[in-house]
Amino acid sequence: MKYKIEGTPLPVVICTLEPGESMITERGSMSWMTANINMETTSNGGASKVFGRMFSGEALFQNRYTARNTQGTIAFASSFPGSIKVFDITPNNGMIVQKSGFLASEEGVSLSVHFQKKLSSGFFGGEGFIMQRLSGQGTAFVEIDGHAVEYTLAPGESMIVDTGYLAAMSETCTMEVVTVPGIKNMLFGGEGLFNTVVKGPGRIILQTLPISSVAGSLRPFFPSAK
């Protein structure tokens, strides 16, 4: 599989498949393809993976696209202004990505739920933080909201991230959702109630325009439903 990423701020990844090569994606992610690309809807892993994808914000089923007889082209466009990040997934190099961040991948990549159980405060009654895990073998494409900024954390090194700005991290990293310290900071600081602390070793990819922040900024300009 060969690919190129075009366009800004609404990018698209255009993939060229050799005969017999396949890619997987969620429903609705395909933008255009040549006539020799065959689509098949599949559970891709049975009931456990189906429900795992559901809890991580993805569709219950996936679509498999396969080039028949000759070389074929298929494109997957971003659904929000930003960028598309490419990850080379291997058995020893998986990635954890934001909920609904998966765009498409080669068939050898497996998508499952990643449930971060630890919350340092009693808020939410100990409920965890759901993300997606990309494992297996192959190239994967992930949507980033806005511009992507990447850091490499050393063992034990940490970064405090405003909730929503963490787009992806190596599966060797750990994360914890913590409350903003101090009642005054929480109520009047304007930064929300929680932050995410990510600890290395590994890569982290941060995004500059979380869709949740955009939605919050636009909400006052829309009339309330009656």
Side-chain angles (χ1 to χ4, degrees):
M1 188 267 291
K2 298 179 181 178
Y3 68 88
K4 58 181 178 179
I5 297 175
E6 297 184 357
T8 182
L10 286 167
V12 60
V13 55
I14 303 172
C15 303
T16 301
L17 305 183
E18 296 299 324
E21 281 191 319
S22 298
M23 295 189 70
I24 57 172
T25 184
E26 300 302 306
R27 290 179 297 171
S29 296
M30 189 278 295
S31 299
W32 63 82
M33 63 185 182
T34 53
N36 68 315
I37 299 290
N38 180 68
M39 186 192 84
E40 176 191 7
T41 300
T42 172
S43 62
N44 202 18
S48 61
K49 290 194 175 182
V50 166
F51 287 105
R53 289 194 296 270
M54 179 183 71
F55 284 118
S56 65
E58 295 294 344
L60 294 180
F61 294 89
Q62 294 180 326
N63 290 335
R64 180 188 295 118
Y65 296 91
T66 305
R68 298 177 300 176
N69 303 322
T70 61
Q71 193 177 75
T73 298
I74 184 168
F76 306 95
S78 176
S79 61
F80 187 75
S83 47
I84 295 174
K85 195 75 174 178
V86 184
F87 296 117
D88 293 319
I89 304 298
T90 67
N92 297 318
N93 184 35
M95 293 294 297
I96 309 299
V97 304
Q98 67 176 330
K99 188 176 180 179
S100 300
F102 175 75
L103 183 60
S105 74
E106 292 184 294
E107 190 176 21
V109 175
S110 177
L111 174 66
S112 59
V113 64
H114 175 78
F115 190 67
Q116 178 64 32
K117 296 181 179 179
K118 186 175 181 182
L119 272 178
S120 62
S121 78
F123 288 88
F124 302 130
E127 181 182 349
F129 187 51
I130 296 174
M131 299 182 76
Q132 297 174 323
R133 180 172 183 261
L134 302 180
S135 57
Q137 183 82 45
T139 301
F141 304 99
V142 173
E143 290 190 67
I144 305 294
D145 301 339
H147 179 66
V149 180
E150 184 171 334
Y151 295 93
T152 300
L153 301 181
E157 184 180 9
S158 61
M159 181 79 74
I160 299 174
V161 184
D162 191 1
T163 302
Y165 284 81
L166 177 64
M169 65 181 187
S170 302
E171 60 181 356
T172 53
C173 293
T174 59
M175 58 174 288
E176 180 182 3
V177 180
V178 301
T179 55
V180 173
I183 297 297
K184 185 168 67 174
N185 293 338
M186 293 172 62
L187 296 179
F188 305 110
E191 297 294 341
L193 301 180
F194 303 96
N195 283 323
T196 301
V197 179
V198 186
K199 184 176 293 186
R203 300 164 58 200
I204 62 171
I205 294 89
L206 309 180
Q207 56 192 8
T208 61
L209 192 69
I211 190 171
S212 57
S213 297
V214 174
S217 298
L218 294 177
R219 190 173 295 118
F221 299 97
F222 291 96
S224 300
K226 295 182 179 180

